[in-house]
Amino acid sequence: MVEGASVNQVFVLLPAELSSIGVPDSERLTFIGVFSSLLFVLGLPLVPLWGVWADKYSRKAVIARSALVEAVVFAGMALAREPWQVALSLLLIGFQLGNTGVMLAAIRDVAPGARLGTIIAIFGAAGPIGFAVGPALAGVLIDGAHWSIPMVFWLSSALSIGTALLVTFGTHEIRPEVVPQGRVLTLAFGAVRGVLQDRAVRSIFAIYGAAFIATQMSRPYIPVLVETIVGRGPGLASSIGLVAGTAALGGALLSPLGGALGDRVGFRPVLIAALATGAVALAVMPAAAGAGGLGELAVAAVLLALAIAAVGAMVFGLLATEVPAERRSATLNLVYLPLYAAGIVGPAVGGVVVTAGLGAPFYLAAAVLAAAVVVVALRSRTRAPGARAPGAPATSVET
């Protein structure tokens, strides 16, 4: 939750931060897209290694490591006074990544099977709750308490140190069912190879990646949409907090319902509905901003956050129930590999297409989710071998 709050503050405050350090408006939109992609550049190749280290040595140490790196990243953002310093701080986030899959694998090893979908959805809600708290808190501190943007980042750094201490001294080590044996690099590349060779897992990862490409393509520009409605100056931070915070909170509160629905009717039908909802929400966002409707934009953002949260819960559920035990932990540790790849591709593509207009990243993102709906629906006509998801009919099919 703390990580989600702090990272989302980086997303929503980045446009204002770039303006404050002198980036001209003619270059700012492209900078936003390119800089947002830097968050995942270093993290992508390290994803398999963190999972292996966690399973082989200590999950707790890998999670605490992430929190300590977060503290360094946010301190760097607070100290940044030049664009290259912001870029360097964002690059360091790559060393922070690789903890969610580890936590998910630990939860999977202790969660009751009959309630797995609901429990994973509750776990998945922690990030969106943080995403809601972060912008809202930033708005209160900047517009209400007259804090500067660097002061907000210093607070995030301090909270990250607190979570590192909490994990280190307040949790127990949870070992995987199958502890990997052998060299780290061999195990890491073996885990990636296992994912790529498994058709069902490969398909699920591809759909998850498409959802995140759409999200990462559009998310950096939501604060700019808010800016077109309320203008710059006093009240902007609070308005961004209203839209981004309300969206994330709505997704967090309703996400467990998606998990429970997946337990009852099957993960794939809920996945299709979530992708379709996200496509509609993205398509209407520019129109809402063009009409000056801050409330309408917030509603669309809530629908998008709910849809993406439900997609994540369904993906986690499918992987947790359909991957064999001997490969489950390694696969779950790699579950955010599509996110990191999409985190590079999405903002970079957004930074290019935004030159055609502020609405372009949103329309292209909506098209990506619509295409994902078609792919999942077509694949769902083919019967899948192997285990079925809880609540799914006996003829459950491959994604």
Side-chain angles (χ1 to χ4, degrees):
M1 186 175 68
V2 169
E3 180 181 24
S6 302
V7 170
N8 205 23
Q9 285 174 349
V10 172
F11 276 117
V12 302
L13 296 177
L14 182 59
E17 175 83 350
L18 292 175
S19 295
S20 69
I21 61 178
V23 175
D25 286 350
S26 60
E27 302 175 3
R28 189 175 64 136
L29 293 182
T30 299
F31 266 67
I32 291 170
V34 173
F35 277 28
S36 296
S37 70
L38 295 177
L39 275 70
F40 302 96
V41 169
L42 293 180
L44 181 61
L46 293 174
V47 172
L49 297 176
W50 292 126
V52 172
W53 281 324
D55 285 349
K56 192 175 179 65
Y57 303 113
S58 171
R59 287 171 171 172
K60 189 164 76 167
V62 168
I63 298 169
R65 169 272 322 173
S66 181
L68 291 174
V69 174
E70 289 169 23
V72 175
V73 167
F74 302 132
M77 289 293 294
L79 294 170
R81 296 296 181 269
E82 299 287 342
W84 69 267
Q85 295 170 343
V86 174
L88 179 60
S89 299
L90 294 176
L91 273 172
L92 290 177
I93 290 181
F95 294 107
Q96 160 191 332
L97 303 174
N99 60 350
T100 305
V102 176
M103 290 187 282
L104 180 63
I107 288 174
R108 172 61 183 85
D109 285 346
V110 298
R115 301 190 61 208
L116 182 61
T118 302
I119 290 173
I120 289 178
I122 292 173
F123 166 73
I129 288 173
F131 266 57
V133 171
L137 178 61
V140 170
L141 294 177
I142 293 173
D143 290 333
H146 306 293
W147 282 32
S148 65
I149 293 177
M151 291 172 67
V152 174
F153 288 135
W154 279 121
L155 176 60
S156 296
S157 182
L159 290 174
S160 296
I161 293 175
T163 59
L165 295 174
L166 178 63
V167 170
T168 301
F169 299 107
T171 66
H172 298 289
E173 186 71 60
I174 300 175
R175 304 300 294 150
E177 292 182 33
V178 180
V179 178
Q181 303 294 326
R183 297 175 63 242
V184 170
L185 287 178
T186 302
L187 292 169
F189 286 115
V192 175
R193 186 169 57 251
V195 167
L196 296 179
Q197 290 178 344
D198 188 315
R199 182 184 175 189
V201 174
R202 189 170 64 241
S203 298
I204 294 170
F205 271 41
I207 295 300
Y208 204 25
F212 272 111
I213 284 178
T215 303
Q216 300 295 338
M217 192 185 305
S218 57
R219 179 194 288 167
Y221 298 104
I222 292 178
V224 185
L225 287 181
V226 177
E227 186 179 287
T228 63
I229 298 174
V230 302
R232 300 182 185 179
L236 175 59
S238 297
S239 297
I240 293 173
L242 171 66
V243 173
T246 301
L249 182 60
L253 294 177
L254 297 176
S255 176
L257 298 180
L261 186 61
D263 284 334
R264 182 174 295 274
V265 304
F267 295 142
R268 289 179 179 80
V270 178
L271 176 61
I272 292 174
L275 290 168
T277 300
V280 173
L282 283 165
V284 303
M285 278 185 171
L294 190 64
E296 290 83 350
L297 180 60
V299 170
V302 169
L303 289 176
L304 177 61
L306 171 60
I308 298 304
V311 169
M314 297 308 100
V315 166
F316 293 162
L318 286 168
L319 293 174
T321 56
E322 299 190 359
V323 176
E326 65 273 13
R327 290 195 293 108
R328 182 184 301 138
S329 184
T331 302
L332 291 175
N333 283 335
L334 294 173
V335 71
Y336 271 16
L337 191 63
L339 182 153
Y340 301 151
I344 298 172
V345 175
V349 172
V352 173
V353 301
V354 76
T355 57
L358 184 55
F362 295 89
Y363 297 135
L364 182 57
V368 170
L369 290 188
V373 170
V374 174
V375 170
V376 175
L378 290 176
R379 287 184 179 274
S380 294
R381 296 180 180 179
T382 304
R383 294 186 58 155
R388 66 186 179 95
T395 55
S396 177
V397 292
E398 182 179 355
T399 302

